[in-house]
Amino acid sequence: MPRFPRRRGARALLLLAGTLTATALGGCTLAPATVQGDRVQSLYNLFLISAAVVFVIVAGLIGWNIIRYRDRGESELPAQTHTNLALELTWWALPTILVIILFTVSAIVLNTNDAQVSNPDLQVKVEGSQWQWTFTYPASGVVVAGTPTSIPELVLPVDEVIDFELVSHDVIHSFFIPHFLVKRDVIPGVDNHLQLTINEEGTYAGQCAEFCGLYHDRMLFTVRAVSQADFTAWLAAQPRSTP
Amino acid sequence: MHGGRRVAEELRFFLRTAAYTVVIAVIYWFYSYETAGTVMLIFVSFATGIVVSIFFFAVRATRGQLDPHAGGPLHRAGMSVARVIGFAEPTREANEEPLAAGLEPIPTGSIWPLVAGIGATLLGLGLVYGPWLLLPGIAVAVLTVWGWLTQMDAR
Amino acid sequence: MTTAELEGPRVGTDHAGQRAGIVDYLTTTDHKRIGLLYLFTGIGFFLISGMLAMFMRAELTVPGLQFMDEATYNELFTMHGTGMIFFFASPVFFGFANYFLPLQIGAPDVAFPRLNALTYWLALSGGLIAFSGFFVGGAASFGWTGYAPLSSEIFSPNTGTNLWIVGLIFSGSSGILGAVNFVATVFTMRAPGMTMFRLPIFTWNVLVTALLVMLTFPVLTSALVMLFLDRTLGAHFFDPAAGGSAILWQHLFWFFGHPEVYILILPFFGIVTEIIPVFSRKPIFGYRAFVFATLLIGVLSYSVWAHHMFATGVVDNLFFSITSLTIAIPTGVKFFNWIATMFRGRIRFDTPMLFCIGFLFMFLIGGLTGPFLASPAIDYAVTDTYFVVAHFHYVLLGGSVFAAFAGFYFWLPKMTGRRMDERLGRIHFWTMLIGMNVTFFPMHILGLDGMPRRVADYPASAGWTGLNEIITAGSVVVAFSVLVFGWNLVWNIFLGHGAPAGDDPWEGYSLEWATTSPPPHHNFTHLPPIRSERPVFDARMAARAAAREAAEVARGPASG
């Protein structure tokens, strides 16, 4: 009968410690650049801590069992315990409580982030088609069109409520800016709006996040978030598209 | 609650799904007014409901009597719910026979499943490629139905 | 042991020593042979789909397209997913269920043996048809999820897509018929004394899975038929320009698709729950609660589907968030039952148990990333990125596949009369465990960093290269571990060098261990009395008690 020597148990524990370290090192979201993203990051961190705690407890219990209760060659059977009602009720109750807490916080963040105003400060029309993005500022008639060889840059002001109208000309795409911790699908036949407020100036990568065919991997864009004054100046300097 | 018929686990197995999906369908409809999901939930409820009805009326799926004296009314009500959900075993379990008695003779081998598979493949490819595969597929399918139903088992 | 026992049965022979030929397998209606056909077909598609993944990893190691164009890459990830889900995991489930369901309930076969054989031929045919797309101008290339309108005749006009649709319709039909068979078998063919609450947990899990299959595969099949009509006969179900709805496809697909992932894990929960008690020398802790949790998962799984659609903005995210978080409860509780089973046991670390322990750790990680995705605000950030890819590979590879290997090591001796090599098994386990973690753990980080899924290439400036290199290295280790298993299988089982297994090499609990390895035609020559969920354990204890009594009587009163 194969034995499970102590060094194997130690190896398992090492794996555990390594995993936790890796989580701590890499398990964080990108630094958010929007008001909504800040809330998502806090929510994510709550979930991460909960998951880490549960992991340490459960993995610890498994690890302890496999080290402590390995077969040492005794001839007697261990006690054939079938159940323990108090224990079972407890371990149904505790995850239930955790789920209620996590759902409540999720609902609050979701409702706050998804809330939309009827008078946003800036309207942007986002058009997705195979395989480039086109951005239009309807109020001023400025159009920024991507081509198969050039990635469009979407310039946006900080500290303003921006409403993105998402329009697809063919298949489903997804408007995804990782640093905003958000994406919204761009669906033909569906009038989708995404609203957010940027609070950090900077340049951010964007990419289509719903597989849309052959060159889905090339459907990129960038977002440049600037101060309101810089944005107004930039907008004024753009050529108007002829209707 | 005073006694009542003991509901077999087999019936409860389908009953749980039927009950849950119909309740969820109602909640979901009034919460979202989304048609596709509601229709699918109702479909699940309906399908399992048919099975529940068949068990209840046509098969010996309820048998025996519950012990009428087990606990007060609240306890019995709680136990009824627990039994439907499946957490508690009905009282007086004993040797529960399966729902159907008697066995058909078990076949030792048959060519017809393979032929049926070939026919289905021809039909499927025929749908993709056209009638010159579809027609042989239909022919094989007809042959299969005849062969399958008329096969007498050699014992 | 006698000489005959030392030699053991030859692989592929029945109890009378007759070697089964091709014709026997082509015309079989024996659930055991059908089970073997399913299992080895599943292994075959695992190898093929795994190869596709290796090609994908080769391409993704560094930025730039080195080995293939985007068109090819898109076919690879589509058929990798389709192959693994429909033509590996499903056949392995049907294989183990076919072989062991009748044995565990003490039945001589399933309720509809010829139908059973048909389900196998449909499953095999479906896989071949779907993959044949590679040879006729390109396989399907829109992801295993087939979203409309990308899968329409306008955006995916190739024949490979039609073949994909037909192949999945076959797979679905096969599943539905097989599921009906299993439910009918459990309801009508249990041996005397085998009440529903004495069924082994594996049987319970197969039963619940079968119900899920019966109710959700018709939805997929209908959606596929509708898509086929759109593509070939001018229907417009999913065409928004003509009044149809692209979102409708997603509702139909995910109403099937989410229960599908429970279909992919529940039987494997069952396998793990067979092995852990046996190798801890204890009964399963909380049998009733375990059954209840499984039933609860089966029922709740109908109401969670649109958590795959949170980012669409057109479904009620709160409703699906609460149902999705709730379903984590019965799933998580099972961990405590497994832990309590091991607690104060005497744990033997044979290969089946090693894989179960690996399963526990890996499914824990995968299960813990689930709630993140069930919270819509977080999901907006991480869905459609490598975070999701990490999550589902932890639960599918770390969960289902590890449990499937546990099942192979546990049950191959019963199915073939030969034991696998323990040392090779341990090498397989450790290399697969390490490789799997090196491959998939970094994907969480990539997803959080914003790398989307289903991309053939990525910008060098994104900073994702380092992790991708590590991931590819890990995948090579996983591939190596599969080769180790393959060698173990070929050498010890097919070439017959494995030690003879005997009836009950593991001191098992359920009825399959009460017969020979492999079992004879119609399974049992006699059955032990069935008074609990562990009839073979009870019989063994009774035999030992009887032997002790006989020994005391033989020693006589003076020895007392």
Side-chain angles (χ1 to χ4, degrees):
Chain A
M1 200 166 303
R3 297 196 51 230
F4 199 76
R6 214 154 278 256
R7 60 182 162 81
R8 288 250 174 92
R11 219 197 292 182
L13 288 175
L14 213 60
L15 201 65
L16 171 62
T19 309
L20 291 175
T21 315
T23 310
L25 287 176
C28 295
T29 63
L30 290 170
T34 64
V35 168
Q36 290 81 4
D38 288 331
R39 295 188 199 112
V40 173
Q41 185 185 49
S42 306
L43 182 66
Y44 174 88
N45 289 337
L46 171 67
F47 271 71
L48 184 64
I49 292 169
S50 314
V53 168
V54 172
F55 181 80
V56 167
I57 293 173
V58 177
L61 285 171
I62 299 170
W64 191 66
N65 270 325
I66 62 182
I67 296 173
R68 172 78 176 77
Y69 296 111
R70 63 186 192 277
D71 189 3
R72 291 176 178 79
E74 309 98 327
S75 55
E76 282 305 307
L77 275 184
Q80 302 284 289
T81 319
H82 279 84
T83 187
N84 179 316
L85 189 60
L87 206 52
E88 300 219 56
L89 286 176
T90 309
W91 68 49
W92 276 86
L94 291 178
T96 306
I97 294 170
L98 182 60
V99 160
I100 292 173
I101 294 172
L102 291 179
F103 173 71
T104 308
V105 186
S106 293
I108 294 171
V109 172
L110 180 68
N111 285 336
T112 316
N113 276 3
D114 272 3
Q116 300 202 335
V117 302
S118 51
N119 57 337
D121 297 313
L122 177 67
Q123 283 266 24
V124 178
K125 184 171 174 186
V126 173
E127 293 167 89
S129 52
Q130 288 177 322
W131 290 279
Q132 55 270 338
W133 298 96
T134 302
F135 305 114
T136 308
Y137 304 82
S140 37
V142 174
V143 178
V144 180
T147 70
T149 48
S150 86
I151 297 171
E153 183 182 68
L154 177 61
V155 182
L156 295 170
V158 296
D159 299 329
E160 285 190 10
V161 176
I162 307 170
D163 178 290
F164 297 96
E165 183 192 357
L166 304 172
V167 173
S168 166
H169 292 297
D170 39 42
V171 299
I172 301 179
H173 302 272
S174 190
F175 182 61
F176 176 41
I177 304 126
H179 270 282
F180 291 4
L181 297 185
V182 76
K183 63 176 68 68
R184 191 59 47 92
D185 286 355
V186 183
I187 306 167
V190 170
D191 182 34
N192 255 348
H193 286 260
L194 172 68
Q195 285 189 3
L196 46 82
T197 305
I198 309 173
N199 57 12
E200 288 279 340
E201 293 183 33
T203 305
Y204 308 109
Q207 188 160 1
C208 175
E210 184 59 63
F211 184 73
C212 54
L214 188 59
Y215 294 125
H216 164 70
D217 61 330
R218 305 189 194 181
M219 197 167 157
L220 310 172
F221 63 98
T222 55
V223 172
R224 186 157 61 91
V226 296
S227 68
Q228 293 172 359
D230 287 347
F231 176 72
T232 315
W234 175 87
L235 202 58
Q238 297 309 304
R240 277 10 184 195
S241 65
T242 47
Chain B
M1 298 245 178
H2 197 68
R5 302 184 69 78
R6 201 182 90 209
V7 174
E9 174 59 27
E10 292 91 335
L11 189 159
R12 286 182 291 158
F13 185 71
F14 284 91
L15 183 62
R16 287 172 206 116
T17 302
Y20 178 78
T21 46
V22 77
V23 167
I24 285 289
V26 170
I27 296 174
Y28 181 67
W29 173 251
F30 288 108
Y31 202 73
S32 69
Y33 294 103
E34 196 275 303
T35 318
T38 309
V39 168
M40 289 187 286
L41 287 168
I42 296 285
F43 152 74
V44 170
S45 189
F46 180 66
T48 44
I50 291 177
V51 177
V52 169
S53 313
I54 291 174
F55 277 161
F56 198 81
F57 294 114
V59 182
R60 302 180 291 119
T62 62
R63 41 187 182 274
Q65 292 288 317
L66 291 169
D67 183 350
H69 302 301
L74 198 62
H75 178 258
R76 286 201 299 273
M79 288 303 285
S80 299
V81 172
R83 250 176 257 119
V84 168
I85 297 173
F87 194 55
E89 184 58 22
T91 54
R92 276 199 283 115
E93 203 192 310
N95 276 346
E96 215 175 276
E97 297 104 50
L99 283 185
L103 283 176
E104 305 292 317
I106 294 172
T108 52
S110 169
I111 191 70
W112 294 110
L114 180 64
V115 176
I118 293 171
T121 306
L122 290 171
L123 280 174
L125 290 175
L127 287 174
V128 175
Y129 285 111
W132 55 276
L133 276 176
L134 200 59
L135 296 175
I138 294 174
V140 173
V142 169
L143 175 70
T144 304
V145 170
W146 169 82
W148 192 298
L149 294 177
T150 61
Q151 175 171 40
M152 306 302 279
D153 298 322
R155 293 288 283 157
Chain C
M1 282 202 286
T2 65
T3 322
E5 285 175 68
L6 277 172
E7 283 169 3
R10 284 167 49 227
V11 171
T13 60
D14 63 20
H15 198 62
Q18 306 285 64
R19 188 166 195 118
I22 303 251
V23 175
D24 292 310
Y25 277 97
L26 291 178
T27 59
T28 186
T29 57
D30 181 334
H31 70 99
K32 298 186 291 297
R33 294 227 171 106
I34 295 170
L36 287 172
L37 286 170
Y38 264 115
L39 287 172
F40 289 107
T41 303
I43 290 177
F45 278 100
F46 180 72
L47 295 174
I48 296 172
S49 306
M51 274 308 301
L52 300 185
M54 296 307 296
F55 293 146
M56 287 160 61
R57 281 316 319 168
E59 182 51 66
L60 284 174
T61 312
V62 292
L65 292 172
Q66 294 86 22
F67 302 110
M68 63 188 73
D69 56 10
E70 276 117 336
T72 306
Y73 185 88
N74 298 341
E75 291 175 39
L76 292 183
F77 76 72
T78 302
M79 296 313 293
H80 166 76
T82 301
M84 284 298 190
I85 291 171
F86 291 103
F87 304 115
F88 155 63
S90 202
V92 167
F93 154 53
F94 277 101
F96 282 131
N98 254 302
Y99 206 106
F100 289 101
L101 185 84
L103 285 170
Q104 289 197 336
I105 65 173
D109 206 314
V110 293
F112 306 112
R114 287 179 300 175
L115 191 69
N116 202 18
L118 173 61
T119 66
Y120 170 71
W121 297 114
L122 287 176
L124 174 67
S125 181
L128 295 175
I129 291 175
F131 273 82
S132 70
F134 279 118
F135 302 108
V136 291
S141 59
F142 34 69
W144 82 283
T145 49
Y147 275 15
L150 183 60
S151 52
S152 69
E153 73 283 11
I154 303 171
F155 298 105
S156 295
N158 60 336
T159 310
T161 301
N162 290 340
L163 292 169
W164 180 85
I165 294 173
V166 170
L168 289 188
I169 290 176
F170 274 48
S171 173
S173 310
S174 162
I176 295 166
L177 295 173
V180 166
N181 222 338
F182 292 151
V183 175
T185 305
V186 174
F187 283 8
T188 64
M189 294 178 72
R190 302 193 303 276
M194 180 59 81
T195 65
M196 291 294 287
F197 281 88
R198 289 177 187 159
L199 291 174
I201 293 288
F202 177 70
T203 302
W204 265 114
N205 282 39
V206 169
L207 192 60
V208 174
T209 308
L211 183 59
L212 284 176
V213 169
M214 279 198 295
L215 292 166
T216 59
F217 266 88
V219 176
L220 173 70
T221 310
S222 309
L224 289 167
V225 169
M226 290 160 72
L227 181 63
F228 197 80
L229 292 175
D230 268 20
R231 291 174 57 84
T232 55
L233 289 178
H236 295 288
F237 290 106
F238 306 119
D239 178 5
S245 166
I247 288 293
L248 176 62
W249 169 266
Q250 292 191 33
H251 277 295
L252 293 173
F253 183 83
W254 287 116
F255 192 86
F256 149 78
H258 197 83
E260 166 70 359
V261 314
Y262 292 104
I263 292 166
L264 293 175
I265 195 65
L266 284 179
F268 299 100
F269 279 172
I271 293 179
V272 162
T273 317
E274 292 292 316
I275 295 174
I276 290 182
V278 168
F279 286 83
S280 306
R281 297 202 190 281
K282 286 182 61 200
I284 180 70
F285 189 94
Y287 173 96
R288 291 280 167 79
F290 210 96
V291 172
F292 173 58
T294 308
L295 294 166
L296 192 58
I297 292 175
V299 156
L300 288 177
S301 67
Y302 295 107
S303 52
V304 302
W305 77 92
H307 67 233
H308 300 269
M309 299 165 65
F310 281 155
T312 63
V314 296
V315 297
D316 193 300
N317 287 357
L318 268 182
F319 176 92
F320 288 102
S321 176
I322 192 161
T323 54
S324 306
L325 284 170
T326 304
I327 204 170
I329 300 171
T331 320
V333 158
K334 292 190 182 195
F335 267 90
F336 297 119
N337 285 85
W338 287 318
I339 290 170
T341 303
M342 292 192 294
F343 182 69
R344 292 201 178 146
R346 269 176 45 212
I347 304 174
R348 303 176 278 155
F349 291 99
D350 299 82
T351 309
M353 187 59 171
L354 283 183
F355 272 96
C356 288
I357 293 171
F359 161 89
L360 288 175
F361 282 110
M362 297 299 100
F363 190 80
L364 179 62
I365 296 175
L368 286 174
T369 52
F372 290 82
L373 297 160
S375 178
I378 301 176
D379 187 76
Y380 293 159
V382 296
T383 195
D384 271 317
T385 69
Y386 264 80
F387 188 88
V388 173
V389 178
H391 163 75
F392 65 67
H393 279 94
Y394 264 90
V395 291
L396 284 175
L397 177 46
S400 302
V401 173
F402 266 62
F405 280 120
F408 275 114
Y409 284 100
F410 187 55
W411 276 325
L412 271 170
K414 171 57 58 182
M415 294 190 281
T416 62
R418 294 277 165 196
R419 301 188 67 149
M420 299 271 275
D421 181 84
E422 273 296 307
R423 215 188 40 151
L424 285 177
R426 278 201 292 283
I427 296 173
H428 172 200
F429 168 70
W430 285 107
T431 48
M432 187 165 254
L433 183 71
I434 292 169
M436 202 222 121
N437 279 289
V438 172
T439 308
F440 294 104
F441 198 83
M443 290 189 184
H444 293 109
I445 302 169
L446 277 179
L448 289 167
D449 213 48
M451 182 171 177
R453 59 185 290 201
R454 297 177 169 170
V455 288
D457 193 18
Y458 51 91
S461 55
W464 297 330
T465 311
L467 285 177
N468 270 292
E469 289 168 335
I470 294 173
I471 291 169
T472 301
S475 69
V476 172
V477 178
V478 173
F480 168 76
S481 75
V482 173
L483 292 177
V484 171
F485 172 75
W487 173 244
N488 201 348
L489 194 63
V490 166
W491 181 257
N492 290 299
I493 305 295
F494 287 115
L495 296 179
H497 291 103
D503 288 3
D504 187 11
W506 308 116
E507 295 189 21
Y509 291 169
S510 40
L511 286 175
E512 71 265 31
W513 307 107
T515 184
T516 58
S517 301
H521 204 50
H522 295 168
N523 296 339
F524 295 98
T525 49
H526 72 279
L527 277 172
I530 301 168
R531 295 284 174 268
S532 77
E533 83 269 13
R534 300 192 290 170
V536 168
F537 174 83
D538 294 339
R540 192 164 51 239
M541 292 299 114
R544 286 187 189 166
R548 269 200 304 275
E549 263 186 49
E552 281 189 25
V553 165
R555 275 199 297 273
S559 70

